[in-house]
Amino acid sequence: PLGLLMRPGTQLGVVSGGLNLGMDTGFEASPNNKCVPLRPEPQDKPSATPALNGQYHLAASLSKAATNRMMWAVYQTGLLCIRINSSDVHKLSGGAFPLNAGIFSLLAPNLTKLVPQDAPVMLELQPTQAPKVQFGTGQQVGGKTDSTLQLYVPDMGISLSVLLHDRFVRLFRLVVDMDLGLSLIATPNN
């Protein structure tokens, strides 16, 4: 299970005519899921409270330390371990997308020599390190957008298995570093 703690902190006051309430947060996962190796808790220290400029009805912020602690806890629960097979994709797509050995024969042409083209396959994602979060500006920097939220997942395992002789057999496993950016942009009319 994933544990969450959120309670009023010691920061309370009126700032620029508005109420400022600091919160203490905490995240934990217990026990560790067997699909991920046990990793130590992050030791990030909370940064200073950011200055919120402008008029707000409500504003909130979450520190990088709290966000990385949350991602560590999510990692420890095994929530990022994903296993999806041909049957799952068939149900999710309403039968519009057939995930089978024929699709992956584009990457491994000899695959259809082992199994029929319509043989079911299974994809597995298994992280081996807790994800890290960085916050960006959302601005253009050198022709690229500095994403508002940057998620880095080092050493993500991606496995492909195929149904062979009534059991799934792993064909290969890739270990990749995933770097995902997400930008939130407010439009003029919200």
Side-chain angles (χ1 to χ4, degrees):
L2 179 64
L4 164 67
L5 165 73
M6 188 172 281
R7 65 178 180 214
T10 57
Q11 297 174 339
L12 177 64
V14 176
V15 177
S16 301
L19 178 65
N20 182 27
L21 172 63
M23 303 289 285
D24 290 335
T25 59
F27 303 92
E28 74 174 6
S30 180
N32 180 57
N33 192 293
K34 294 177 185 170
C35 88
V36 294
L38 184 62
R39 297 290 179 209
E41 298 176 22
Q43 300 300 314
D44 299 343
K45 301 292 182 210
S47 54
T49 304
L52 299 173
N53 301 320
Q55 296 290 323
Y56 295 96
H57 293 289
L58 176 68
S61 66
L62 189 63
S63 72
K64 180 177 141 185
T67 307
N68 281 328
R69 174 70 185 214
M70 177 181 63
M71 293 309 296
W72 170 83
V74 166
Y75 163 82
Q76 293 292 106
T77 65
L79 188 62
L80 301 176
C81 297
I82 298 171
R83 179 181 289 171
I84 189 165
N85 61 34
S86 298
S87 175
D88 297 330
V89 172
H90 182 78
K91 289 175 191 170
L92 288 170
S93 69
F97 182 74
L99 181 66
N100 56 36
I103 300 251
F104 290 99
S105 67
L106 296 170
L107 296 173
N110 291 334
L111 178 58
T112 52
K113 291 180 182 177
L114 294 172
V115 295
Q117 253 188 314
D118 62 347
V121 296
M122 180 170 50
L123 282 171
E124 292 179 272
L125 298 179
Q126 183 183 16
T128 59
Q129 301 282 336
K132 298 280 186 194
V133 172
Q134 284 285 105
F135 296 106
T137 62
Q139 304 297 316
Q140 291 286 329
V141 177
K144 290 176 62 179
T145 301
D146 181 26
S147 299
T148 309
L149 182 67
Q150 301 155 9
L151 179 65
Y152 177 65
V153 187
D155 301 331
M156 172 65 88
I158 303 172
S159 299
L160 174 68
S161 302
V162 65
L163 191 65
L164 180 65
H165 301 300
D166 297 324
R167 65 186 180 117
F168 279 102
V169 176
R170 186 187 316 181
L171 295 178
F172 60 83
R173 176 180 166 90
L174 298 171
V175 178
V176 298
D177 292 339
M178 296 175 63
D179 196 354
L180 309 169
L182 173 69
S183 290
L184 304 173
I185 301 170
T187 59
N189 296 324
N190 291 324

XYZ file of all heavy atoms in Angstrom, residues 56-146:
680
model
N -4.264 35.428 -6.956
C -4.726 34.043 -6.970
C -5.902 33.888 -6.015
O -5.926 34.493 -4.941
C -3.615 33.083 -6.488
C -2.419 33.037 -7.386
C -1.296 33.821 -7.125
C -2.394 32.198 -8.484
C -0.189 33.774 -7.941
C -1.284 32.144 -9.311
C -0.187 32.933 -9.033
O 0.904 32.878 -9.842
N -6.860 33.081 -6.408
C -7.897 32.659 -5.473
C -7.348 31.518 -4.622
O -7.661 31.404 -3.452
C -9.154 32.204 -6.220
C -9.849 33.315 -6.932
N -10.544 34.302 -6.269
C -9.933 33.613 -8.243
C -11.043 35.152 -7.144
N -10.677 34.757 -8.347
N -6.529 30.682 -5.265
C -5.903 29.561 -4.566
C -4.617 29.206 -5.306
O -4.604 29.139 -6.530
C -6.833 28.331 -4.563
C -6.276 27.057 -3.941
C -6.106 27.246 -2.434
C -7.194 25.889 -4.225
N -3.546 29.026 -4.590
C -2.284 28.603 -5.190
C -1.706 27.489 -4.333
O -1.917 27.446 -3.119
C -1.305 29.775 -5.270
N -1.014 26.575 -4.959
C -0.396 25.465 -4.235
C 0.942 25.142 -4.884
O 1.142 25.375 -6.073
C -1.301 24.238 -4.278
N 1.841 24.623 -4.099
C 3.121 24.167 -4.638
C 3.524 22.902 -3.889
O 3.099 22.673 -2.753
C 4.201 25.247 -4.509
O 4.486 25.496 -3.151
N 4.317 22.087 -4.532
C 4.831 20.854 -3.945
C 6.323 20.822 -4.239
O 6.735 20.994 -5.386
C 4.129 19.637 -4.573
C 4.386 18.284 -3.943
C 3.885 18.257 -2.502
C 3.684 17.191 -4.741
N 7.128 20.626 -3.233
C 8.576 20.698 -3.413
C 9.095 19.514 -4.228
O 8.460 18.459 -4.304
C 9.280 20.737 -2.054
O 9.198 19.468 -1.423
N 10.260 19.721 -4.810
C 10.934 18.644 -5.543
C 11.225 17.474 -4.607
O 11.087 16.315 -4.987
C 12.222 19.184 -6.163
C 13.004 18.175 -6.951
C 14.224 18.841 -7.571
C 15.405 17.939 -7.507
N 16.622 18.556 -7.971
N 11.585 17.769 -3.364
C 11.880 16.712 -2.388
C 10.640 15.861 -2.128
O 10.709 14.628 -2.107
C 12.391 17.329 -1.086
N 9.477 16.498 -1.946
C 8.240 15.755 -1.704
C 7.838 14.965 -2.945
O 7.382 13.819 -2.848
C 7.124 16.706 -1.291
N 8.011 15.560 -4.114
C 7.647 14.882 -5.354
C 8.529 13.656 -5.581
O 8.023 12.585 -5.947
C 7.762 15.846 -6.549
O 7.007 17.022 -6.256
C 7.231 15.226 -7.815
N 9.826 13.782 -5.360
C 10.712 12.627 -5.529
C 10.442 11.552 -4.472
O 10.546 10.358 -4.753
C 12.175 13.054 -5.521
C 12.594 13.645 -6.848
O 12.088 13.257 -7.894
N 13.507 14.587 -6.825
N 10.079 11.964 -3.283
C 9.705 10.998 -2.247
C 8.434 10.243 -2.666
O 8.307 9.038 -2.482
C 9.511 11.726 -0.918
C 8.982 10.896 0.212
C 10.008 9.895 0.695
N 9.424 9.037 1.708
C 10.074 8.547 2.726
N 11.343 8.837 2.888
N 9.484 7.776 3.578
N 7.477 10.981 -3.253
C 6.247 10.358 -3.738
C 6.567 9.354 -4.856
O 6.031 8.242 -4.872
C 5.274 11.412 -4.250
C 4.002 10.835 -4.844
S 2.877 12.090 -5.471
C 3.855 12.830 -6.763
N 7.450 9.729 -5.782
C 7.800 8.825 -6.886
C 8.535 7.588 -6.353
O 8.338 6.479 -6.864
C 8.655 9.558 -7.929
C 7.904 10.657 -8.663
S 6.319 10.152 -9.365
C 6.823 8.951 -10.549
N 9.368 7.752 -5.337
C 10.034 6.610 -4.714
C 8.996 5.661 -4.108
O 9.071 4.448 -4.265
C 11.010 7.091 -3.643
C 11.564 5.992 -2.797
C 12.615 5.179 -3.112
C 11.089 5.567 -1.520
N 12.816 4.272 -2.083
C 11.892 4.490 -1.110
C 10.056 5.992 -0.689
C 11.692 3.833 0.107
C 9.857 5.351 0.509
C 10.676 4.277 0.898
N 8.001 6.226 -3.404
C 6.963 5.400 -2.785
C 6.123 4.676 -3.840
O 5.814 3.493 -3.691
C 6.076 6.260 -1.882
N 5.781 5.372 -4.921
C 5.028 4.737 -6.015
C 5.860 3.600 -6.615
O 5.348 2.511 -6.882
C 4.638 5.780 -7.086
C 4.163 5.122 -8.368
C 3.575 6.722 -6.546
N 7.147 3.839 -6.800
C 8.062 2.801 -7.306
C 8.066 1.590 -6.372
O 7.942 0.449 -6.806
C 9.465 3.398 -7.436
C 10.563 2.380 -7.551
C 10.853 1.789 -8.779
C 11.326 2.001 -6.444
C 11.857 0.845 -8.885
C 12.331 1.069 -6.549
C 12.598 0.497 -7.774
O 13.594 -0.444 -7.883
N 8.202 1.833 -5.062
C 8.273 0.742 -4.095
C 7.006 -0.120 -4.079
O 7.062 -1.295 -3.772
C 8.523 1.291 -2.686
C 9.880 1.935 -2.497
C 11.031 0.959 -2.558
O 11.762 0.921 -3.521
N 11.194 0.169 -1.536
N 5.839 0.475 -4.394
C 4.584 -0.285 -4.394
C 4.491 -1.234 -5.575
O 3.660 -2.134 -5.575
C 3.352 0.634 -4.463
O 3.345 1.323 -5.714
C 3.292 1.589 -3.304
N 5.325 -1.017 -6.606
C 5.236 -1.844 -7.808
C 4.209 -1.326 -8.795
O 3.920 -1.982 -9.798
N 3.662 -0.152 -8.557
C 2.649 0.416 -9.435
C 3.173 0.650 -10.852
O 2.413 0.616 -11.819
C 2.127 1.723 -8.842
C 0.929 2.364 -9.510
C -0.277 1.433 -9.432
C 0.597 3.687 -8.861
N 4.473 0.858 -10.989
C 5.059 1.109 -12.306
C 5.416 -0.180 -13.045
O 5.870 -0.121 -14.180
C 6.293 2.004 -12.172
C 6.037 3.367 -11.537
C 7.332 4.131 -11.372
C 5.039 4.166 -12.344
N 5.228 -1.330 -12.409
C 5.424 -2.615 -13.075
C 4.164 -2.906 -13.878
O 3.083 -3.075 -13.303
C 5.660 -3.734 -12.064
S 7.153 -3.529 -11.097
N 4.302 -2.921 -15.177
C 3.135 -3.093 -16.043
C 3.341 -4.324 -16.909
O 4.395 -4.499 -17.522
C 2.940 -1.842 -16.921
C 2.679 -0.628 -16.033
C 1.803 -2.052 -17.915
C 2.680 0.690 -16.769
N 2.328 -5.158 -16.947
C 2.338 -6.350 -17.809
C 1.064 -6.299 -18.638
O -0.033 -6.260 -18.100
C 2.364 -7.613 -16.963
C 2.340 -8.882 -17.787
C 2.341 -10.104 -16.920
N 3.657 -10.223 -16.304
C 3.954 -11.085 -15.346
N 3.027 -11.901 -14.879
N 5.166 -11.146 -14.842
N 1.227 -6.270 -19.958
C 0.073 -6.208 -20.849
C 0.258 -7.245 -21.946
O 1.355 -7.379 -22.509
C -0.121 -4.778 -21.405
C -1.439 -4.664 -22.144
C 1.042 -4.338 -22.249
C -1.864 -3.227 -22.387
N -0.801 -8.008 -22.222
C -0.695 -9.045 -23.246
C -1.686 -8.786 -24.380
O -2.446 -7.812 -24.342
C -0.879 -10.439 -22.631
C -2.228 -10.609 -21.987
O -3.225 -10.068 -22.443
N -2.261 -11.378 -20.912
N -1.684 -9.665 -25.359
C -2.530 -9.502 -26.546
C -4.001 -9.389 -26.188
O -4.731 -8.569 -26.752
C -2.324 -10.680 -27.502
O -0.996 -10.725 -27.943
N -4.447 -10.195 -25.244
C -5.853 -10.170 -24.827
C -6.224 -8.824 -24.210
O -7.296 -8.280 -24.482
C -6.102 -11.305 -23.833
O -7.401 -11.243 -23.329
N -5.338 -8.260 -23.390
C -5.584 -6.952 -22.769
C -5.726 -5.863 -23.829
O -6.636 -5.038 -23.765
C -4.446 -6.575 -21.813
C -4.301 -7.529 -20.651
O -5.315 -8.112 -20.224
O -3.154 -7.689 -20.173
N -4.825 -5.861 -24.806
C -4.858 -4.846 -25.867
C -6.113 -5.017 -26.715
O -6.744 -4.035 -27.110
C -3.578 -4.906 -26.736
C -3.692 -4.007 -27.953
C -2.369 -4.523 -25.902
N -6.508 -6.255 -26.972
C -7.725 -6.528 -27.751
C -8.935 -5.918 -27.038
O -9.777 -5.261 -27.658
C -7.903 -8.039 -27.933
C -9.092 -8.399 -28.758
N -9.088 -8.307 -30.126
C -10.321 -8.835 -28.395
C -10.275 -8.679 -30.582
N -11.040 -9.008 -29.546
N -9.025 -6.105 -25.715
C -10.148 -5.561 -24.933
C -10.098 -4.034 -24.890
O -11.122 -3.363 -25.047
C -10.123 -6.107 -23.509
C -10.491 -7.569 -23.416
C -10.320 -8.068 -21.988
C -10.424 -9.576 -21.927
N -10.034 -10.095 -20.613
N -8.910 -3.471 -24.660
C -8.771 -2.019 -24.546
C -9.065 -1.299 -25.859
O -9.597 -0.197 -25.860
C -7.366 -1.654 -24.080
C -7.047 -1.975 -22.625
C -5.551 -1.797 -22.365
C -7.854 -1.095 -21.690
N -8.702 -1.918 -26.982
C -8.886 -1.268 -28.282
C -10.193 -1.681 -28.955
O -10.459 -1.257 -30.082
C -7.707 -1.584 -29.197
O -7.720 -2.954 -29.581
N -10.991 -2.509 -28.292
C -12.225 -2.982 -28.913
C -11.949 -3.845 -30.131
O -12.755 -3.901 -31.058
N -10.796 -4.505 -30.133
C -10.412 -5.365 -31.244
C -9.793 -4.636 -32.421
O -9.461 -5.248 -33.436
N -9.622 -3.317 -32.309
C -9.089 -2.518 -33.423
C -7.588 -2.689 -33.613
O -7.076 -2.455 -34.703
C -9.412 -1.041 -33.212
N -6.869 -3.094 -32.566
C -5.414 -3.223 -32.671
C -4.993 -4.611 -32.224
O -5.098 -4.945 -31.058
C -4.708 -2.172 -31.811
C -3.220 -2.219 -31.915
C -2.569 -1.749 -33.038
C -2.459 -2.768 -30.890
C -1.186 -1.803 -33.136
C -1.078 -2.831 -30.982
C -0.441 -2.348 -32.115
N -4.505 -5.416 -33.162
C -4.053 -6.769 -32.788
C -2.581 -6.753 -32.371
O -1.704 -6.533 -33.189
C -4.246 -7.565 -34.080
C -4.058 -6.556 -35.170
C -4.520 -5.233 -34.607
N -2.330 -6.953 -31.101
C -0.950 -7.065 -30.626
C -0.565 -8.538 -30.705
O -1.090 -9.359 -29.962
C -0.841 -6.559 -29.183
C 0.552 -6.603 -28.568
C 1.483 -5.640 -29.289
C 0.486 -6.262 -27.092
N 0.309 -8.855 -31.643
C 0.702 -10.256 -31.831
C 2.128 -10.334 -32.374
O 2.772 -9.311 -32.598
C -0.286 -10.981 -32.755
C -0.439 -10.296 -34.095
O 0.513 -9.751 -34.646
N -1.651 -10.308 -34.626
N 2.594 -11.545 -32.584
C 3.972 -11.759 -33.049
C 4.220 -11.111 -34.403
O 5.338 -10.680 -34.691
C 4.272 -13.252 -33.107
N 3.195 -10.998 -35.242
C 3.348 -10.375 -36.555
C 3.809 -8.939 -36.472
O 4.606 -8.480 -37.289
N 3.319 -8.211 -35.472
C 3.724 -6.807 -35.284
C 5.217 -6.734 -34.972
O 5.930 -5.894 -35.496
C 2.923 -6.169 -34.127
C 1.450 -6.212 -34.448
C 3.446 -4.797 -33.777
C 0.762 -4.969 -34.763
N 5.690 -7.629 -34.114
C 7.087 -7.575 -33.685
C 8.034 -8.237 -34.678
O 9.250 -8.131 -34.538
C 7.237 -8.171 -32.282
C 6.620 -7.301 -31.251
C 5.353 -7.574 -30.759
C 7.272 -6.168 -30.804
C 4.770 -6.745 -29.823
C 6.691 -5.329 -29.875
C 5.437 -5.616 -29.381
N 7.481 -8.891 -35.696
C 8.351 -9.463 -36.725
C 9.016 -8.356 -37.544
O 9.985 -8.611 -38.258
C 7.584 -10.422 -37.634
O 6.625 -9.720 -38.402
N 8.508 -7.128 -37.437
C 9.177 -5.990 -38.076
C 10.531 -5.731 -37.420
O 11.484 -5.338 -38.087
C 8.304 -4.737 -37.986
C 6.966 -4.798 -38.719
C 6.108 -3.589 -38.350
C 7.180 -4.881 -40.205
N 10.614 -5.953 -36.106
C 11.873 -5.776 -35.371
C 12.736 -7.028 -35.416
O 13.963 -6.948 -35.416
C 11.591 -5.426 -33.907
C 10.888 -4.108 -33.642
C 10.520 -3.997 -32.170
C 11.760 -2.940 -34.056
N 12.085 -8.176 -35.399
C 12.787 -9.467 -35.391
C 12.184 -10.330 -36.501
O 11.269 -11.115 -36.258
C 12.653 -10.129 -34.038
N 12.672 -10.192 -37.736
C 12.057 -10.873 -38.882
C 11.956 -12.401 -38.734
O 11.029 -13.003 -39.263
C 12.978 -10.502 -40.054
C 13.681 -9.268 -39.621
C 13.793 -9.349 -38.146
N 12.858 -13.020 -38.019
C 12.823 -14.478 -37.883
C 11.840 -14.957 -36.819
O 11.695 -16.165 -36.607
C 14.227 -15.018 -37.572
C 15.148 -14.865 -38.762
O 14.705 -14.831 -39.908
N 16.437 -14.760 -38.506
N 11.156 -14.046 -36.161
C 10.212 -14.410 -35.113
C 9.108 -15.314 -35.640
O 8.723 -16.287 -34.991
C 9.609 -13.146 -34.492
C 8.570 -13.338 -33.404
C 9.143 -14.148 -32.241
C 8.074 -11.991 -32.914
N 8.622 -15.031 -36.841
C 7.526 -15.838 -37.388
C 7.994 -17.220 -37.854
O 7.174 -18.037 -38.252
C 6.821 -15.097 -38.539
O 7.783 -14.670 -39.499
C 6.042 -13.903 -38.018
N 9.288 -17.483 -37.794
C 9.780 -18.846 -38.028
C 9.611 -19.693 -36.764
O 9.543 -20.912 -36.834
C 11.252 -18.826 -38.449
C 11.477 -18.238 -39.831
C 12.949 -18.257 -40.190
C 13.167 -17.622 -41.555
N 14.584 -17.558 -41.904
N 9.543 -19.018 -35.612
C 9.356 -19.721 -34.344
C 7.887 -19.932 -33.998
O 7.507 -20.973 -33.467
C 10.004 -18.933 -33.194
C 11.513 -18.783 -33.198
C 11.943 -17.818 -32.106
C 12.160 -20.138 -32.988
N 7.089 -18.904 -34.262
C 5.674 -18.928 -33.881
C 4.834 -18.379 -35.028
O 5.340 -17.648 -35.880
C 5.429 -18.083 -32.610
C 6.137 -18.671 -31.407
C 5.830 -16.640 -32.819
N 3.539 -18.708 -35.070
C 2.674 -18.120 -36.105
C 2.558 -16.612 -35.931
O 2.772 -16.082 -34.837
C 1.315 -18.787 -35.881
C 1.497 -19.799 -34.825
C 2.850 -19.640 -34.220
N 2.187 -15.921 -37.012
C 2.076 -14.469 -36.976
C 1.062 -13.989 -35.947
O 1.236 -12.932 -35.351
C 1.681 -13.920 -38.349
C 2.830 -13.239 -39.037
C 2.377 -12.535 -40.287
O 1.635 -13.078 -41.085
N 2.860 -11.331 -40.458
N 0.006 -14.762 -35.720
C -1.036 -14.332 -34.787
C -0.801 -14.833 -33.359
O -1.687 -14.743 -32.508
C -2.410 -14.762 -35.278
C -2.556 -16.275 -35.379
O -1.533 -16.979 -35.310
O -3.702 -16.739 -35.545
N 0.404 -15.310 -33.067
C 0.721 -15.789 -31.713
C 0.647 -14.627 -30.720
O 1.154 -13.537 -30.986
C 2.106 -16.417 -31.675
N 0.015 -14.846 -29.551
C -0.072 -13.789 -28.541
C 1.311 -13.417 -27.994
O 2.207 -14.256 -27.909
C -0.918 -14.416 -27.432
C -1.626 -15.556 -28.066
C -0.730 -16.039 -29.167
N 1.438 -12.156 -27.635
C 2.679 -11.664 -27.041
C 2.361 -10.955 -25.722
O 1.198 -10.643 -25.433
C 3.441 -10.700 -27.977
C 3.885 -11.399 -29.233
C 2.608 -9.486 -28.305
N 3.392 -10.710 -24.936
C 3.250 -9.990 -23.680
C 4.394 -8.986 -23.565
O 5.552 -9.335 -23.798
C 3.284 -10.960 -22.496
C 3.138 -10.295 -21.163
S 2.899 -11.426 -19.787
C 4.206 -12.604 -20.002
N 4.033 -7.757 -23.227
C 5.018 -6.704 -22.967
C 5.044 -6.449 -21.466
O 4.000 -6.372 -20.825
C 4.630 -5.412 -23.667
C 4.901 -5.335 -25.150
C 4.258 -4.083 -25.732
C 6.383 -5.322 -25.419
N 6.247 -6.308 -20.921
C 6.395 -6.023 -19.494
C 7.307 -4.823 -19.303
O 8.361 -4.732 -19.936
C 7.017 -7.213 -18.767
C 6.136 -8.425 -18.705
C 6.824 -9.578 -17.997
O 7.519 -10.337 -18.691
O 6.674 -9.681 -16.774
N 6.884 -3.918 -18.447
C 7.716 -2.796 -18.022
C 8.073 -3.039 -16.566
O 7.194 -3.289 -15.732
C 6.970 -1.469 -18.143
C 6.519 -1.052 -19.531
C 5.765 0.268 -19.461
C 7.693 -0.936 -20.473
N 9.370 -2.983 -16.268
C 9.817 -3.204 -14.894
C 10.942 -2.227 -14.569
O 12.070 -2.384 -15.019
C 10.306 -4.635 -14.700
C 10.707 -4.915 -13.276
C 11.260 -6.320 -13.103
O 11.617 -6.985 -14.064
N 11.346 -6.750 -11.859
N 10.618 -1.199 -13.757
C 11.670 -0.252 -13.381
C 12.634 -0.898 -12.390
O 12.250 -1.764 -11.608
C 10.895 0.892 -12.737
C 9.640 0.264 -12.238
C 9.333 -0.871 -13.166
N 13.883 -0.478 -12.454
C 14.875 -0.980 -11.497
C 15.414 0.140 -10.614
O 16.175 -0.123 -9.693
C 16.043 -1.673 -12.221
O 16.653 -0.737 -13.101
C 15.566 -2.875 -13.014
N 15.016 1.373 -10.928
C 15.387 2.549 -10.132
C 14.132 3.400 -9.950
O 13.251 3.412 -10.815
C 16.438 3.407 -10.847
C 17.724 2.707 -11.165
C 18.616 2.581 -9.950
O 18.525 3.343 -9.004
N 19.487 1.590 -9.964
N 14.047 4.116 -8.864
C 12.917 5.015 -8.643
C 12.992 6.198 -9.602
O 14.083 6.718 -9.859
C 12.910 5.518 -7.203
N 11.863 6.629 -10.158
C 11.860 7.796 -11.041
C 12.245 9.062 -10.284
O 12.060 9.157 -9.072
C 10.405 7.894 -11.511
C 9.800 6.582 -11.215
C 10.549 6.022 -10.049
N 12.761 10.027 -11.007
C 13.119 11.340 -10.452
C 12.328 12.403 -11.196
O 12.079 12.287 -12.390
C 14.613 11.636 -10.636
C 15.528 10.671 -9.931
C 15.634 11.001 -8.491
C 16.669 10.109 -7.838
N 16.599 10.153 -6.423
N 11.965 13.445 -10.483
C 11.198 14.548 -11.061
C 12.023 15.823 -10.993
O 12.683 16.091 -9.995
C 9.866 14.738 -10.303
C 9.148 15.991 -10.758
C 8.980 13.521 -10.479
N 11.992 16.584 -12.069
C 12.586 17.920 -12.122
C 11.482 18.866 -12.567
O 10.610 18.484 -13.336
C 13.723 17.992 -13.143
C 15.020 17.353 -12.710
C 15.753 18.204 -11.716
O 15.766 17.899 -10.545
N 16.375 19.276 -12.168
N 11.532 20.091 -12.109
C 10.584 21.099 -12.549
C 11.302 22.068 -13.478
O 12.405 22.503 -13.192
C 9.985 21.848 -11.358
C 9.181 20.954 -10.458
C 9.671 20.555 -9.234
C 7.938 20.499 -10.866
C 8.934 19.720 -8.413
C 7.200 19.659 -10.057
C 7.688 19.265 -8.822
N 10.664 22.378 -14.597
C 11.232 23.312 -15.561
C 10.434 24.597 -15.587
O 9.503 24.804 -14.808
N 10.783 25.457 -16.531
C 10.145 26.773 -16.621
C 8.963 26.793 -17.580
O 8.144 27.702 -17.528
C 11.166 27.814 -17.114
O 11.610 27.438 -18.429
C 12.354 27.907 -16.171
N 8.889 25.831 -18.498
C 7.853 25.852 -19.520
C 8.186 26.792 -20.664
O 7.394 26.969 -21.581
N 9.370 27.398 -20.626
C 9.789 28.373 -21.635
C 10.612 27.698 -22.737
O 11.144 26.615 -22.555
C 10.630 29.477 -20.980
C 9.950 30.186 -19.831
C 8.705 30.922 -20.250
O 8.696 31.602 -21.266
N 7.643 30.779 -19.476
N 10.719 28.378 -23.863
C 11.563 27.912 -24.956
C 13.021 28.219 -24.612
O 13.355 29.346 -24.265
C 11.205 28.618 -26.268
C 9.858 28.224 -26.833
C 9.892 26.837 -27.437
O 10.909 26.384 -27.947
N 8.765 26.144 -27.368
N 13.881 27.196 -24.686
C 15.304 27.359 -24.409
C 16.064 26.695 -25.552
O 16.025 25.475 -25.699
C 15.699 26.715 -23.054
C 17.192 26.829 -22.818
C 14.926 27.333 -21.913
N 16.738 27.496 -26.356
C 17.522 26.955 -27.463
C 16.701 26.159 -28.458
O 17.136 25.131 -28.949
N 15.474 26.609 -28.735
C 14.630 25.917 -29.702
C 13.857 24.736 -29.124
O 13.068 24.111 -29.817
N 14.078 24.410 -27.856
C 13.365 23.318 -27.201
C 12.588 23.876 -26.014
O 13.002 24.850 -25.406
C 14.342 22.252 -26.703
C 15.015 21.459 -27.804
C 16.033 20.481 -27.275
C 15.388 19.447 -26.385
N 16.344 18.466 -25.861
N 11.479 23.220 -25.697
C 10.706 23.636 -24.528
C 11.290 23.015 -23.278
O 11.525 21.816 -23.223
C 9.231 23.208 -24.689
O 8.695 23.807 -25.866
C 8.407 23.640 -23.485
N 11.565 23.848 -22.286
C 11.989 23.376 -20.969
C 10.713 22.942 -20.252
O 10.020 23.756 -19.655
C 12.702 24.502 -20.216
C 13.202 24.072 -18.850
O 13.453 22.866 -18.663
O 13.325 24.944 -17.973
